[in-house]
Every structure is written in structure tokens, then in C-alpha cells.
Amino acid sequence: MLLTKKLIYCPIKYGRTRCKLGDRDGKYFFFTSSKLLCINILTITIKITTCPRGEIGRHKGLKILALLGVPVRVWPRAPKAIRNMNKENILLVFKDRKIVTKNNDFWLEKFKHKYEVEILFINDYLNLSNNEIINQINNLINLKKIQTVLLEGDHAHIIDYHFLKKISNKVKKGIFLGDDMVWHIVNLITAQQCDFVFSSEPISVLKYKELGIESFFVPIEGDGKIFKDHGLKKIYEVLHFGRDKTIRSDYINHLEKNGIKVKCVSPYDEESNTMEKLAKLISQSKIILNFAESANGNRSFNHLKIFKKFYQTKGRIQMAGISNVLCISEYCASSELIYNQTELPFFKSKEECLEKIKYFLSNDKELKAATEKFYLKNLEFEDSRYIIKIKKFIDAVIIKSKDKFETPYWYNVLFINQ
């Protein structure tokens, strides 16, 4: 608030009358430059610079500004309950609590930056029928005034087209996907009852858009509280983390035969069985090695099963990037949609992989420059930043009328026993 009286510095006298501390003359309040008197002035100003919207705190700069007559307004921090009143409510529906890769924790922490988050795990209600579980969800929507419901897609569970159809149409409904390359045709049918789709695979985002479904790329592992530069000493040249597979072993054996030391860990090892432990190992490494190849499997509904393999974007890239560690990745067309060769070094063979790793390990300056560029690019995907784009996307989504859609026989059979 504006002070009602101006504070005037009076070195000797004011007009014809010598002024002293505390003298008042209409709209003026006098003070001198004496250090001792300044102490008293500060005591006085604490009393006269309070306002209905909050007290001036202990910050000396604010006190001095107020003392010299500069208008100062201090807005007190609202209690947490009041701050959260402006947050929209979102419901995350998971199939179960993951034991090894706890993706539900990543989704929760991501949305907590901008939303009040409610969580429901389907497996906690297996004693209920499908319709009773749906009633639980709809009751929660009404009780918590939910505006958006986000459900886990992929895999055969009870969350299918018919399940989503019975969830309230007064809220925005979406599914989030982490394995869409294999489950795309199933997810595509389920998405007919959705207003939007989140996918961790950039190419699949385009596939949904191709059929008129609102979709958006959302990386899963972007928690900057876990994955960050921990400032640890670099004791590993190259780190690879993930499950052991033949193609990966072939590459790693080739690197080690040529003098590259590769540290390998899996989610089942004691030293890397939590994300916090893994984050420390990443920070202790100079380079993270990422493989993009995955097997198609032999699921009857997957039209790609006649092909042995495919290449997909992996979360290791963002986990390394926001940890300020360079990642060298097997080429993947999907990753190329969000990174160029100068941001994420790609390789297409064992020989090229070896060549690039040797180059960076033998050139500290180039390694530092490449790491910095990679880090700055990936900060874009860190949760506290990327949630702004996610919310902007959700805000723009319109609840659409769902066209009548006949689910194919094979789709119904796939879910009939769930």
C-alpha cells in the first residue's frame, strides 16, 4: 500500500527550525543519517509499513524501499489448500501397481505439477464386476469434480472400448500408451471412445492423427527430481541399462573386444533396482548406450508379426539427457522426429557404434560440447517444463460425440475373459 506520509532526509534543519527524529509536519516525517538513529527508524518502519494484504517480510531491501517512500506491496503466499483451488482435477486409472518398472509413479509425479491428481488401480477392485468398477470410477468423477480421466492402454485388460463407453461423457477421456508399436490396432479401436491419446512413441502419434484422433507425444521417464546431474565423479565410460537381449549382447561384446568398458545393469540388480539408484549410475557415466530394436512377437492381432523386429524410441534417451549425460543411440525413425543427428548421435551398425563411442571418449572437448547440446534439448522433456505443453494440449481438447462403432469379433474375444 502507499505510505500516507513521505519520509524526508534532514541533515541539519528543515526550514528555519532544526528537525529531529520523529518530527512531523503535515505529510512529512523527518529522519537523520545517524547510524544509531537508523536502528530506531527501522523499528518504527516495521510498525508503519504493514498493509491489509500482508506484512513486509524480513528482506532488508524491501524495508529500505518502504522507509524511503517507495510504494511497496507484499502479497503473502496463499496456503497450499487455496493455491490448489485453481488446479484442475484429473483421474489416472492404472491396471495394476508395477513392481519393476513403476511407470505409474512417473505419470503421477508428471501431472502433480499442474493438476490435483486422483489415482485408481483396477486390480484393487478385482472382487467387483466390470460394471461395478465403472460405477466406482463414475462416483469418483462426481465426488472429486474430475474434469479429465486418463486410462492406461496397451495389453489385454478390462479397459477396452466397451469399458470406456460407460465412463461419464461429461469428462475428457484419454488413454496413455507406452507400447503402441505392438498394440496399435487394439489401441486404435479402444481410442474410438476417447477424446485424445498420449503416446511415448512419436510415430504412433502421427498414426492416430492420420485417422482424426487427437494425439500428443508424452515421454514417460522425465522426472527431474530423480534424473538430474547429481555432480558425481565419472567412473564408467559407457553404461547400458535394461533387460539382456541377444542383439544388445552382440554389440556390447564387440565394444569390449575393442577396448571399450561397458557397465551393464538390469532392473533386477541390487545396484540398479530403483530409479534413484539408476539415476546415480547414469550420473557416474560418460556415455549412455541405447538400443532401439524390439521383437514383434507372435500375437494374432498384430499385423506386423510376420516381421521379426521393429525399432522404437526408448525412455533411456530422456533419462540420460536430463541427467546431463550424452546418449548414443541405435537409429530409430521415430526418434528422428524429435532429435537430429547433432542432438542425438545415431548408429546403424556395430562398427559405427564403436567408432562414435571411441571418438567421444578420446575427445573431451567434443564430448563436453555434445553432452551440453543433448542436455539442453532434453530439458524440454523434463516434467516440470513439459507438463505446460501437456496441459495446453488437454485444455484445447473438446469432448466429442462418439460415433457408433462396431468392434470386430477378434477384439471382443481378446477382452472377453478379462
Side-chain angles (χ1 to χ4, degrees):
M1 63 180 289
L2 290 175
L3 295 176
T4 57
K5 294 187 182 295
K6 293 186 178 179
L7 296 116
I8 303 298
Y9 171 62
C10 179
I12 300 177
K13 61 174 66 175
Y14 175 71
R16 296 182 179 179
T17 306
R18 179 180 294 274
C19 64
K20 62 181 183 293
L21 174 66
D23 279 353
R24 300 173 185 267
D25 183 8
K27 60 181 179 180
Y28 298 108
F29 180 85
F30 305 111
F31 68 100
T32 77
S33 59
S34 168
K35 290 183 179 179
L36 179 58
L37 293 178
C38 282
I39 296 174
N40 294 327
I41 287 297
L42 291 178
T43 303
I44 293 171
T45 56
I46 290 174
K47 294 179 181 178
I48 69 172
T49 55
T50 58
C51 69
R53 299 187 185 276
E55 293 187 4
I56 293 179
R58 296 181 178 180
H59 193 291
K60 293 180 180 179
L62 292 180
K63 291 181 179 179
I64 293 170
L65 289 174
L67 181 64
L68 296 177
V70 178
V72 175
R73 174 173 288 173
V74 178
W75 294 82
R77 181 183 293 274
K80 183 177 180 181
I82 295 177
R83 297 200 304 271
N84 289 342
M85 286 176 62
N86 294 325
K87 286 187 174 183
E88 293 183 11
N89 300 317
I90 190 169
L91 172 62
L92 304 183
V93 181
F94 298 96
K95 295 167 184 174
D96 52 23
R97 290 178 170 85
K98 301 296 187 289
I99 298 175
V100 178
T101 306
K102 298 184 178 182
N103 285 347
N104 48 281
D105 289 341
F106 284 122
W107 286 103
L108 170 61
E109 293 303 316
K110 192 186 304 291
F111 280 92
K112 278 170 63 176
H113 286 285
K114 287 291 181 181
Y115 292 86
E116 279 294 292
V117 184
E118 296 292 330
I119 295 183
L120 185 143
F121 292 95
I122 296 292
N123 279 16
D124 290 348
Y125 297 90
L126 292 182
N127 59 317
L128 303 179
S129 68
N130 285 10
N131 285 335
E132 288 173 328
I133 295 174
I134 292 168
N135 288 336
Q136 290 283 336
I137 293 174
N138 285 331
N139 289 337
L140 190 57
I141 288 171
N142 293 327
L143 179 64
K144 297 295 184 178
K145 295 181 172 57
I146 302 295
Q147 289 110 329
T148 304
V149 178
L150 193 56
L151 303 96
E152 183 178 2
D154 298 328
H155 312 291
H157 203 270
I158 71 170
I159 301 175
D160 65 352
Y161 173 91
H162 305 287
F163 187 91
L164 276 159
K165 187 176 182 179
K166 295 179 181 178
I167 293 176
S168 173
N169 285 321
K170 295 179 180 179
V171 298
K172 298 176 182 180
K173 295 185 284 189
I175 53 174
F176 57 91
L177 313 171
D179 201 12
D180 190 61
M181 289 292 287
V182 172
W183 291 88
H184 180 71
I185 190 64
V186 175
N187 291 331
L188 190 58
I189 295 171
T190 303
Q192 300 306 307
Q193 270 298 321
C194 294
D195 300 299
F196 65 94
V197 171
F198 285 154
S199 176
S200 63
E201 183 65 29
I203 277 185
S204 78
V205 170
L206 298 179
K207 292 178 181 177
Y208 287 102
K209 288 183 177 181
E210 189 176 39
L211 292 177
I213 299 171
E214 296 288 343
S215 55
F216 192 65
F217 168 64
V218 179
I220 300 173
E221 299 93 345
D223 191 342
K225 297 189 296 294
I226 297 176
F227 300 107
K228 58 185 177 181
D229 188 346
H230 289 273
L232 301 176
K233 182 180 179 181
K234 303 292 186 183
I235 59 178
Y236 306 114
E237 288 186 339
V238 179
L239 172 69
H240 173 260
F241 52 92
R243 294 172 176 84
D244 185 29
K245 296 181 180 179
T246 303
I247 180 65
R248 298 175 182 178
S249 297
D250 289 345
Y251 269 80
I252 291 169
N253 289 337
H254 180 72
L255 293 174
E256 292 181 333
K257 286 179 181 178
N258 287 275
I260 304 296
K261 298 177 181 178
V262 182
K263 170 79 172 174
C264 295
V265 295
S266 79
Y268 311 103
D269 297 331
E270 178 64 30
E271 63 182 328
S272 55
N273 59 7
T274 69
M275 289 298 168
E276 289 76 13
K277 291 179 181 178
L278 179 59
K280 297 291 179 64
L281 289 172
I282 292 173
S283 279
Q284 291 176 307
S285 306
K286 294 180 179 179
I287 294 173
I288 302 301
L289 181 59
N290 176 60
F291 296 103
E293 182 180 311
S294 296
N296 261 316
N298 56 3
R299 295 178 178 86
S300 59
F301 59 82
N302 182 10
H303 61 286
L304 295 176
K305 67 180 182 292
I306 60 174
F307 304 103
K308 183 179 179 181
K309 59 190 177 182
F310 64 93
Y311 298 86
Q312 66 178 151
T313 298
K314 302 288 187 177
R316 292 186 204 92
I317 299 173
Q318 286 86 40
M319 293 161 76
I322 62 177
S323 300
N324 199 15
V325 178
L326 180 64
C327 178
I328 294 180
S329 176
E330 185 175 18
Y331 175 77
C332 169
S334 194
S335 293
E336 199 173 35
L337 291 175
I338 51 179
Y339 300 99
N340 61 46
Q341 181 68 248
T342 65
E343 293 168 334
L344 174 63
F346 293 112
F347 61 84
K348 294 183 178 180
S349 67
K350 290 184 288 187
E351 293 72 24
E352 190 177 9
C353 177
L354 174 63
E355 178 185 347
K356 293 200 172 184
I357 289 177
K358 274 189 170 182
Y359 172 76
F360 285 115
L361 289 179
S362 60
N363 292 275
D364 289 340
K365 186 176 179 180
E366 293 298 324
L367 175 61
K368 184 178 179 180
T371 300
E372 183 177 5
K373 188 168 187 176
F374 182 61
Y375 169 65
L376 293 175
K377 172 62 179 179
N378 279 279
L379 283 180
E380 172 187 335
F381 304 116
E382 193 273 327
D383 282 351
S384 66
R385 301 185 185 203
Y386 203 67
I387 191 61
I388 297 171
K389 294 184 178 181
I390 294 173
K391 188 176 186 305
K392 183 178 179 181
F393 171 84
I394 293 177
D395 288 347
V397 168
I398 299 173
I399 298 175
K400 62 182 182 181
S401 58
K402 312 299 189 294
D403 296 332
K404 186 176 180 181
F405 184 84
E406 293 294 332
T407 54
Y409 174 76
W410 65 264
Y411 178 89
N412 297 330
V413 171
L414 182 65
F415 286 94
I416 199 167
N417 294 321
Q418 300 307 317

